[in-house]
Amino acid sequence: MGNDDLGTLRRFARRRPIRRTNVTVLVLAAAAPFAPVDQEYLFEARQMQALSFAVHIPLVCFGIAFPAFVLFMEGLWLRTGDPVYRTIAKRWSKVMLALFAVGVVTGTILSFELGLLWPSFMATFGEVFGLGFTLEGFSFFVEAIFIAIYVYGWDRLSPRAHFATGVPVAIAGFTGSLMVISVNAWMNNPSGFALEGGRVTDVEPLAALFGNDYLWHELVHMYLAAYIVAGFLTAGVYAWAWLRGRRGRYERVALVVPLTVAAVASPVQIVVGDWAAREVAREQPVKLAALEGLHETEEGAPVHLLGWYDGEEVRYGIELPQLLSLLASHDPGARVEGLEEVPADERPPVNVVRVAFQTMVGIGFALAAISLVYLVVWLRRRRLPRSRWFYRALVAAGPLSVVALVAGWVTTEVGRQPWVVYGHMRTEEAVTGADGIPVGYASLVLVYAGLLIAVAWILRRLARAPVEVAAGPRGVAPLLSGGTRPDERELPE
Amino acid sequence: MTLAEAPLVLMLIGLTAYAVLGGADFGAAFWQLGGRSRARRDHAYEAMGPVWEANHVWLVFVLTVCWTAYPEAFASIFSTLTIPLFVAGLGIVLRGTAYAVHAGTAREIERRSVDAVFSLSSILTPFALGAAIGGIASGRVPVGNAEGDLLTSWVNPTSFAVGVVAVVTGAYLAAVYLAGDAARAGRDDLVAAFRMRALAAGAVAGATALTGLVVVSLDAERLRDGLFGPPALLAVIGSGVAGLGTLELVRRRRFEAARYLASAAVAAIVVGWALAQRPELLPGLTVEEAAAGRPTLLATVVGVALGALVVVPSLVLLFGLVLRGRFDREAARTGMERRSIAATSRPRPLLGAALLALAVGLPLTVLPAGGPVQAVGVVALLAFVALGSVALGSAAARADAG
């Protein structure tokens, strides 16, 4: 099954020669109950959806990666008996539970919004991709059940059983993201159905979701991103403590584990990103053209750093010749399709996509650089870097990684515009006919502002609780392992 | 039951579970409203702490099955009932946030304000969801993109009745469960408090349900005809009998039995509604017409069955631990030393494996464009990340020990 054939077919299908006139819309409205409507506030609806994602996705990163960090710490405790690991694992698991709770409810809002904001999308295509979310629901169940057993099971289950109850949480984090991303990959590269008169036929839900080449690079890219974001944010907290003079063993261990994970993952992410770019070049050439602001189809197309796309070319950018061709097909002379290949109303907002893409890539390289500094120092000297600048960089790396994460999603989702289902349904055809979107948007902004304040508050509270590096339940462990020296039991206050 | 109806049955099971379990979580928060007794409020939080997230997932389950199996019905419902459903969504956010924040409250004033948000959102959410269900049940949601009236679809007698019933039922269930939990923990003061509340709430819930029936009969003709027809009527009567039975069990302090009978009473209401409305999902849209194509329905049913193989034993484990009191405050045990393993560190072989994975993964990911070879490369890269993190992370954490 040639992917190129499919791609060509889709590109033909995409070029619909006749724009609908008002008359045909009326006729369609009589025939199909989910014909396009006039929605004055389409932009606000998109903003509302984007806001909901931007709040939810960083929390998802903690849902995916944090259980692994906690288990790692508990595993170290099981192996060595050093109580500092258990203390960290236990404290982190409380943060994990609080963030999971917020992730649960912000994820629920997203599923509501699919129906509230995009009913025509759901009505038309729900039967093609909906299964992905149904299956995701089971991951969500497993996560919710075992995260509760794990966090409430401290001191109540045997250490091994307790560790084992955490494992399903980490696995469900992976399967959950697999399912959700299968839907997103389908929106970007839809298949597994035919359209007849605005209704889908010949639906093959499994092929649509899991037989899609586009799924794998999105999944791996996001999965690594989750570890990078959670790793740098967590390490950043203890880098901050380091700068403030709290450099006990507790802080050092809590810094070094998430940092190591993020540092190993960040350079790999660049390779995965390169793979993703090639997939985009093959399946969504218009998106690739928008990433660069390439107007005309070219052989040996360049990349411009910074600059601004003025509708015809990139101005004031630093030109790196042939780089786009090299990235797109690993051939400096390769032909790259420009934006001119499709009508103007089928191009995404180029500058949004460009800026988001360059932000993501720029931050990604910076994170990889910090990572390499850490890895090289550690491998050569077996210690952490000593420069204050390294710790300052780590403090910045956390928030920056979130910016890169969101910028990456902006790149892929705004780059998908004007389509909600690439090549088949435009976003404006998906939107609700209901009034009041601005009111909903404003209320969501208010509630989410409150939510962010509340989350910041609870994290501070949890962080300020005195660190008690007590032994495990029996008080024997430190004697066995040498454990914590009293002078290192600094209480953060 | 046809294949087209199978997902609907799954949704009704999910809805019942959500009403019985999630409803009780809302109800537990109801009892915190204005409660002056700190012990009572703590008891309610502790009882729902380990389970509310899992209970909440039932709602997500119902939604996802609905939009997969009956996409047009889902879209019609959400676009017309946009206001109550959005309010319910915001209520869920406020509630979850309040729950997360609750763990960090220290001073009484903080505790009180968090409790207030928690309780109010826990009343608002089931009311809004109930109002939405009332709109569907009374035939006020036509097929189409926001085709129904955005206001009267949920501001109407049936919606109001169902909303109130949802809140009161939750409060009743919660009181029964909390009395049972208190009895297990041997807290006689709490048992007395929640037993009294359960009896009162049970009486109110019964009265509200009966009033609701009258309201529905006056307001929604089709639903009335269905409800007073043979199969649905049986369910309605069954619910009433189960409700009365629960009251008697609570009176006799047999809380565990009451827990299950109360759930049966709620389940009977859901079943009764479904039977009354059969075969239509929305006005002019039968279940058969609304259903997705055969492959999707099959995949959904099989997928749910496979998922249940994992989730049902997990739920049994969770509720078994909770109901046996293993998570109670008193259950924390101190006799759990671990066998100390001599710190055998093996970073070197792990690191070697990681580097090997990198050496394989890097070229195989970068060079080919797609295909199985690249897949191997990507898997090798992921293996590098996992092995490298474990090897370096544990070495770095331990190196620091000395």
Side-chain angles (χ1 to χ4, degrees):
Chain A
M1 191 66 194
N3 239 318
D4 299 80
D5 301 341
L6 276 178
T8 320
L9 271 178
R10 261 197 308 280
R11 275 189 284 283
F12 271 116
R14 224 176 276 153
R15 294 203 182 117
R16 286 180 299 182
I18 311 160
R19 302 296 312 151
R20 278 182 197 155
T21 62
N22 284 336
V23 181
T24 48
V25 168
L26 281 178
V27 171
L28 280 171
F34 288 93
V37 293
D38 250 348
Q39 175 55 263
E40 193 182 345
Y41 297 107
L42 172 65
F43 183 72
E44 283 77 3
R46 286 179 51 205
Q47 291 296 307
M48 195 171 160
Q49 188 74 54
L51 170 71
S52 313
F53 275 115
V55 172
H56 183 63
I57 294 175
L59 292 163
V60 169
C61 292
F62 277 84
I64 292 173
F66 218 51
F69 293 174
V70 173
L71 282 173
F72 194 111
M73 286 294 179
E74 194 182 15
L76 283 174
W77 174 63
L78 286 174
R79 284 190 70 78
T80 65
D82 186 339
V84 76
Y85 300 127
R86 186 180 192 276
T87 306
I88 295 173
K90 202 171 169 183
R91 285 172 69 95
W92 281 3
S93 71
K94 288 180 187 160
V95 176
M96 176 171 86
L97 187 68
L99 291 179
F100 182 70
V102 183
V104 165
V105 294
T106 52
T108 305
I109 276 280
L110 284 174
S111 62
F112 274 55
E113 281 171 345
L114 285 179
L116 294 173
L117 296 175
W118 318 107
S120 295
F121 166 56
M122 299 306 286
T124 313
F125 293 103
E127 69 174 288
V128 186
F129 69 81
L131 182 68
F133 286 119
T134 310
L135 296 177
E136 194 269 341
F138 286 98
S139 296
F140 189 10
F141 258 129
V142 169
E143 223 173 340
I145 291 168
F146 283 97
I147 213 167
I149 297 179
Y150 185 83
V151 176
Y152 286 88
W154 284 109
D155 302 333
R156 289 159 171 82
L157 302 169
S158 78
R160 274 167 195 284
H162 184 256
F163 181 85
T165 59
V167 174
V169 184
I171 296 175
F174 177 77
T175 52
S177 42
L178 168 68
M179 299 306 167
V180 171
I181 292 199
S182 75
V183 176
N184 184 266
W186 175 83
M187 289 164 70
N188 275 289
N189 189 30
S191 63
F193 66 93
L195 264 180
E196 276 173 30
R199 286 179 187 271
V200 293
T201 58
D202 301 325
V203 178
E204 300 173 59
L206 291 177
L209 293 170
F210 306 112
N212 181 2
D213 278 356
Y214 224 63
L215 164 59
W216 305 108
H217 71 264
E218 276 200 31
L219 173 66
V220 174
H221 204 44
M222 174 61 200
Y223 195 62
L224 283 183
Y227 278 87
I228 294 169
V229 167
F232 277 120
L233 276 176
T234 313
V237 171
Y238 299 99
W240 176 254
W242 192 95
L243 288 170
R244 303 270 299 262
R246 297 205 306 271
R247 302 175 189 179
R249 173 147 160 74
Y250 173 89
E251 283 82 12
R252 286 205 304 272
V253 170
L255 169 79
V256 93
V257 168
L259 174 60
T260 305
V261 178
V264 173
S266 300
V268 171
Q269 185 75 309
I270 292 175
V271 180
V272 172
D274 167 65
W275 169 37
R278 281 186 286 158
E279 296 288 326
V280 170
R282 197 169 66 205
E283 300 294 341
Q284 293 179 304
V286 182
K287 188 190 274 184
L288 186 85
L291 296 185
E292 156 56 15
L294 183 72
H295 190 78
E296 288 168 18
T297 301
E298 269 183 56
E299 283 168 11
V303 165
H304 289 83
L305 287 184
L306 308 176
W308 192 255
Y309 177 74
D310 69 356
E312 306 226 322
E313 61 176 338
V314 175
R315 287 182 182 276
Y316 317 115
I318 305 160
E319 183 174 327
L320 304 173
Q322 300 188 317
L323 187 60
L324 189 65
S325 293
L326 191 67
L327 286 175
S329 23
H330 286 193
D331 167 8
R335 180 170 179 275
V336 180
E337 283 183 31
L339 291 158
E340 61 172 6
E341 297 283 327
V342 293
D345 72 343
E346 294 187 9
R347 297 173 198 159
V350 174
N351 281 312
V352 177
V353 180
R354 259 195 103 234
V355 170
F357 178 68
Q358 298 210 354
T359 305
M360 173 188 74
V361 172
I363 294 175
F365 273 95
L367 295 177
I370 300 173
S371 303
L372 290 177
V373 168
Y374 162 67
L375 290 175
V376 167
V377 170
W378 198 84
L379 288 171
R380 292 184 56 166
R381 310 239 166 92
R382 302 281 151 162
R383 63 163 173 79
L384 285 165
R386 288 184 181 146
S387 160
R388 293 185 75 81
W389 283 107
F390 175 74
Y391 294 89
R392 287 182 187 133
L394 274 188
V395 170
L400 281 177
S401 67
V402 175
V403 172
L405 175 82
V406 173
W409 278 105
V410 168
T411 305
T412 193
E413 299 310 288
V414 178
R416 168 169 53 74
Q417 303 300 329
W419 304 104
V420 63
V421 181
Y422 206 68
H424 292 286
M425 179 184 257
R426 298 173 72 97
T427 311
E428 71 215 34
E429 297 169 320
V431 74
T432 180
D435 298 328
I437 289 177
V439 179
Y441 185 25
S443 352
L444 189 76
V445 168
L446 281 178
V447 168
Y448 271 14
L451 175 137
L452 291 178
I453 292 168
V455 168
W457 182 83
I458 179 72
L459 290 181
R460 272 180 75 86
R461 266 290 157 87
L462 289 176
R464 284 187 169 186
V467 181
E468 290 167 21
V469 184
R474 261 281 163 90
V476 284
L479 297 176
L480 292 173
S481 68
T484 332
R485 290 193 299 273
D487 60 300
E488 288 185 332
R489 289 175 51 178
E490 299 164 31
L491 302 185
E493 193 43 58
Chain B
M1 185 175 74
T2 62
L3 181 61
E5 283 176 324
L8 186 62
V9 172
L10 296 174
M11 282 169 58
L12 291 172
I13 294 171
L15 191 62
T16 305
Y18 185 63
V20 167
L21 300 167
D25 291 341
F26 288 125
F30 177 87
W31 295 117
Q32 293 178 324
L33 190 67
R36 259 155 305 175
S37 154
R38 177 75 184 248
R40 235 169 29 229
R41 286 187 283 149
D42 284 345
H43 180 56
Y45 266 117
E46 281 166 19
M48 81 180 111
V51 292
W52 78 266
E53 281 151 334
N55 294 344
H56 173 79
V57 183
W58 286 109
L59 174 64
V60 176
F61 172 78
V62 172
L63 296 185
T64 58
V65 173
C66 185
W67 74 48
T68 309
Y70 313 103
E72 289 202 352
F74 172 81
S76 308
I77 291 167
F78 267 71
S79 55
T80 287
L81 293 168
T82 194
I83 297 172
L85 289 170
F86 184 63
V87 167
L90 289 185
I92 287 168
V93 169
L94 288 174
R95 197 181 126 76
T97 311
Y99 183 82
V101 166
H102 160 253
T105 51
R107 285 177 296 144
E108 186 61 20
I109 175 80
E110 294 170 355
R111 204 27 223 281
R112 281 193 171 277
S113 27
V114 170
D115 279 356
V117 174
F118 194 58
S119 302
L120 290 174
S121 57
S122 297
I123 293 169
L124 184 68
T125 307
F127 180 82
L129 289 173
I133 286 180
I136 301 167
S138 57
R140 289 182 165 97
V141 178
V143 178
N145 183 351
E147 286 293 314
D149 191 301
L150 294 185
L151 216 55
T152 61
S153 58
W154 63 282
V155 184
N156 61 68
T158 303
S159 286
F160 186 77
V162 179
V164 173
V165 166
V167 173
V168 177
T169 316
Y172 170 53
L173 287 171
V176 173
Y177 298 175
L178 288 171
D181 293 335
R184 186 189 64 227
R187 302 284 307 272
D188 291 338
D189 52 329
L190 292 174
V191 173
F194 282 109
R195 176 172 171 270
M196 197 188 73
R197 284 172 171 72
L199 290 173
V204 174
T208 325
L210 283 177
T211 319
L213 271 182
V214 176
V215 171
V216 167
S217 329
L218 296 174
D219 180 53
E221 226 170 88
R222 269 197 54 92
L223 189 65
R224 178 193 62 202
D225 294 348
L227 275 178
F228 292 109
L233 190 60
L234 223 60
V236 172
I237 294 171
S239 175
V241 171
L244 285 175
T246 327
L247 277 181
E248 179 58 20
L249 287 172
V250 171
R251 205 183 60 79
R252 294 191 199 168
R253 298 171 189 271
R254 295 193 44 206
F255 300 115
E256 283 311 305
R259 204 189 275 272
Y260 297 107
L261 198 60
S263 309
V266 174
I269 299 180
V270 175
V271 171
W273 168 40
L275 290 173
Q277 219 182 291
R278 208 176 174 197
E280 282 196 341
L281 210 50
L282 298 178
L285 185 74
T286 65
V287 175
E288 299 286 334
E289 290 162 351
R294 196 178 156 77
T296 301
L297 296 177
L298 261 182
T300 306
V301 172
V302 172
V304 171
L306 291 178
L309 286 181
V310 178
V311 164
V312 170
S314 308
L315 282 171
V316 169
L317 176 68
L318 173 66
F319 280 97
L321 287 167
V322 170
L323 291 178
R324 273 183 279 123
R326 287 295 295 278
F327 292 153
D328 290 356
R329 210 184 277 180
E330 299 76 16
R333 286 190 278 155
T334 48
M336 287 183 186
E337 78 264 50
R338 34 158 302 285
R339 203 159 43 88
S340 176
I341 306 162
T344 47
S345 83
R346 284 182 304 160
R348 283 185 186 282
L350 263 187
L351 197 59
L355 291 176
L356 183 69
L358 180 64
V360 173
L362 205 55
L364 293 190
T365 307
V366 173
L367 296 178
V373 176
Q374 196 175 36
V376 171
V378 172
V379 170
L381 273 187
L382 288 177
F384 163 71
V385 174
L387 294 170
S389 297
V390 171
L392 285 178
S394 54
R398 285 195 221 171
D400 226 43

